[in-house]
Amino acid sequence: MRAHVITFGCQMNEYDTLTIQSELVAGGHELVDAPQDANLILLNTCAVRGKPIEKVVSLLGDLRKERRAGRDVSVALMGCLAQLDEGKAIAEKFEVDALVGPGAITDVLEAIEAIEEARFAGERAAFESLRFREDLVDHHTPPHEGALTGFLTIMRGCDHHCTYCIVPTTRGPEVSRPLEAIVREAEAMARAGVQEVYLLGQNVNSYGLGDASLPSFAELLRTVARVGIPRVKFTTSHPMNFTSDVIDAIAEEEAVCNYIHLPVQSGSDRVLRRMAREYGRERYLDIVREIRAKVPDVVLSTDIIVGFPGETEEDFSETLSLFDEVAFEHAYTFIYSARPGTPSHRHFDDMPKRIKTDRLARLIELQKAHSLRANGALVGRELRVLVKEAARDGDFVMGHSDQQHTVLVPKDQVRRLGLHSVRVDQATPHTLYGSVVGADVGAVPLRLAS
Ligand code: 5AD
Ligand code: SF4
């Protein structure tokens, strides 16, 4: 079939899409760039908040309309939404042909077989696979040729039970991939010229926990740091699994970037308890103090939810004061979204939207001030930037620093994509503008920028 995959949500989903695409190619199907050219559209969905679900619903609405108007196209609903009752109901309503959960993505070829058979009979397939396949943890490697950045999933699922989060339901319990499979994949990336690898998982630093045959996350990090990829980054981390040996590995291993994403969610002990985050404000601050002491130039980012049920103005002000105390360089901020099936949805009442949006606006203002302060301090400094692609403003190319700053460089200064030394000329809260200084600093031959 002529297939087109549309990805929503996190980097785990982007990696899963690569896996889905390699399955499709292995099965003899063609990947098409434009959705209009496809006769099979696969939606790799996210269910963590209401917004990404709304986007999927609207897309499915459009597709149903086109099909009713005579377009010959089948639709597969894959990923986190597919795993939920909510997804099943949506699939029914919009006459989706296949429902494939995030633990079953390698069943995609089976789904297509069912779709093809049904098409032959002039029917709708209604294929369903929602199992958590064990072999998915050691599945084949998606190709990396020509990529500067590689995603590498090291574990799947989550054993924490944060009360707002649907992920333990959609992605199931934690399973770590075998060390050899990870190292093999990292080595393949190094050979293919990948300059930066992201080790991915819902909770990467609980890698190997409870399995004596596997190394700890810190040991894994040190191993991957030595395969020859210049930069190693990882996401996401749970503070309770962020142990001293991980901080030491970051401090000591040259290739491990001094960038840490450490979701705090709230600054109020009372809210953290209701979220079942397993730590309090002081414990989080202790971890941050250890990180900043051992990794002085670290950039810290976080996730924060505002408007969790029962969050008072005082609770919220504790989130603001924690933000000041940590001085996060960056943050992803979210309005609490009640997810059916989560404990917080069952046990607590949602609060008025107005209060939530007001708090979000105040938090974003504070976050911008911190980002501007941190970015402003970089003006005049040189950063190593992985220049990746043309920026939206056509006069610039875009890249990321070792510490994950978004950096724009005038296009005429860059002959090749890859690692460059860049001097920062100007800073805004979200972007640094810089000039290339000296030669390319890439460790391997770099490709010509288009
Ligand atoms: N509502 C709002 N934000 C959420 N997140 C997870 N679940 C919810 C929810 N129900 C946020 C958390 C998490 C990030 C990936 O998404 O901050 O760290
Ligand atoms: Fe969700 Fe919490 Fe697990 Fe993160 S750690 S995926 S927020 S349950």
Side-chain angles (χ1 to χ4, degrees):
M1 297 188 79
R2 296 186 310 280
H4 179 81
V5 190
I6 302 175
T7 314
F8 299 84
C10 63
Q11 292 165 325
M12 299 273 287
N13 260 19
E14 287 188 40
Y15 179 89
D16 285 352
T17 289
L18 293 176
T19 304
I20 294 167
Q21 286 172 332
S22 10
E23 281 290 311
L24 293 171
V25 171
H29 302 284
E30 184 191 348
L31 297 177
V32 295
D33 289 335
Q36 316 81 271
D37 296 338
N39 62 0
L40 171 65
I41 295 204
L42 307 105
L43 305 179
N44 190 12
T45 61
C46 167
V48 81
R49 282 175 294 277
K51 274 242 177 75
I53 298 180
E54 284 165 26
K55 279 196 218 160
V56 170
V57 167
S58 129
L59 208 67
L60 286 173
D62 293 346
L63 283 167
R64 185 175 61 178
K65 220 184 281 166
E66 287 179 34
R67 288 203 285 184
R68 288 187 175 165
R71 178 174 170 193
D72 175 24
V73 62
S74 300
V75 179
L77 189 67
M78 304 186 68
C80 285
L81 179 58
Q83 195 71 28
L84 303 175
D85 290 346
E86 197 178 352
K88 200 170 176 147
I90 289 169
E92 267 315 303
K93 178 165 176 205
F94 292 98
E95 297 154 18
V96 161
D97 303 272
L99 203 56
V100 183
I105 51 174
T106 48
D107 287 341
V108 65
L109 291 181
E110 249 180 73
I112 298 180
E113 257 174 53
I115 288 174
E116 283 177 322
E117 267 173 39
R119 283 166 77 95
F120 191 68
E123 291 166 1
R124 183 161 78 91
F127 174 90
E128 188 178 298
S129 179
L130 303 177
R131 57 192 174 144
F132 294 113
R133 278 182 65 153
E134 278 288 316
D135 58 351
L136 195 54
V137 295
D138 189 14
H139 190 58
H140 67 255
T141 311
H144 304 290
E145 292 311 320
L148 289 169
T149 293
F151 291 140
L152 205 174
T153 292
I154 62 165
M155 55 86 67
R156 294 176 168 273
C158 183
D159 284 348
H160 290 276
H161 296 284
C162 307
T163 53
Y164 51 81
C165 190
I166 198 69
V167 166
T169 311
T170 61
R171 287 196 178 260
E174 285 177 7
V175 194
S176 297
R177 289 181 70 192
L179 176 68
E180 309 74 58
I182 296 170
V183 171
R184 214 183 311 123
E185 193 162 339
E187 286 171 347
M189 284 185 188
R191 278 196 301 277
V194 167
Q195 302 284 295
E196 166 183 82
V197 59
Y198 285 85
L199 303 182
L200 300 180
Q202 230 60 54
N203 184 13
V204 281
N205 34 22
S206 69
Y207 176 84
L209 268 190
D211 184 342
S213 70
L214 292 177
S216 66
F217 178 63
E219 289 161 341
L220 173 72
L221 203 50
R222 288 184 189 270
T223 306
V224 175
R226 293 168 193 186
V227 302
I229 302 172
R231 273 179 175 182
V232 179
K233 298 179 178 178
F234 59 89
T235 193
T236 277
S237 299
H238 191 292
M240 286 320 281
N241 302 111
F242 212 90
T243 41
S244 298
D245 56 343
V246 176
I247 303 174
D248 294 339
I250 299 165
E252 289 161 18
E253 293 295 332
E254 176 83 22
V256 179
C257 290
N258 295 345
Y259 164 70
I260 299 171
H261 180 64
L262 196 61
V264 66
Q265 313 299 1
S266 169
S268 151
D269 280 337
R270 209 179 62 91
V271 174
L272 288 169
R273 217 172 308 121
R274 284 158 71 95
M275 288 176 164
R277 286 292 286 177
E278 305 164 40
Y279 57 85
R281 178 190 175 100
E282 266 315 305
R283 179 71 195 266
Y284 186 89
L285 286 171
D286 278 346
I287 301 167
V288 168
R289 280 189 277 264
E290 185 180 349
I291 292 172
R292 291 230 192 257
K294 288 180 174 168
V295 193
D297 65 342
V298 74
V299 162
L300 279 177
S301 72
T302 197
D303 289 345
I304 294 181
I305 298 176
V306 300
F308 186 77
E311 181 190 71
T312 62
E313 185 54 33
E314 196 187 332
D315 291 322
F316 177 63
S317 70
E318 284 176 18
T319 295
L320 297 179
S321 73
L322 177 102
F323 205 115
D324 281 333
E325 215 165 314
V326 176
F328 290 111
E329 281 82 0
H330 186 65
Y332 300 90
T333 51
F334 306 105
I335 282 182
Y336 170 73
S337 168
R339 306 307 318 129
T342 57
S344 63
H345 177 258
R346 264 197 308 280
H347 298 308
F348 307 129
D349 289 332
D350 211 350
M351 72 169 73
K353 179 115 192 272
R354 183 177 43 79
I355 301 179
K356 295 200 274 191
T357 48
D358 171 65
R359 287 183 186 163
L360 183 71
R362 285 155 64 199
L363 179 61
I364 289 176
E365 205 173 306
L366 181 68
Q367 180 247 313
K368 272 193 183 159
H370 276 284
S371 298
L372 186 59
R373 171 197 50 77
N375 282 352
L378 295 172
V379 171
R381 293 242 325 252
E382 271 178 40
L383 302 176
R384 188 174 68 156
V385 176
L386 183 59
V387 176
K388 297 174 181 173
E389 60 197 22
R392 230 174 290 153
D393 176 342
D395 293 337
F396 291 89
V397 285
M398 192 278 289
H400 286 114
S401 72
D402 288 352
Q403 291 143 311
Q404 206 62 5
H405 305 95
T406 299
V407 185
L408 297 189
V409 181
K411 193 175 174 192
D412 55 17
Q413 293 184 6
V414 176
R415 275 181 309 109
R416 302 190 285 182
L417 299 179
L419 287 166
H420 291 71
S421 206
V422 171
R423 192 193 55 239
V424 179
D425 299 325
Q426 202 192 325
T428 71
H430 297 297
T431 312
L432 298 173
Y433 291 84
S435 325
V436 172
V437 285
D440 300 349
V441 292
V444 297
L446 302 170
R447 293 168 302 122
L448 276 176
S450 53

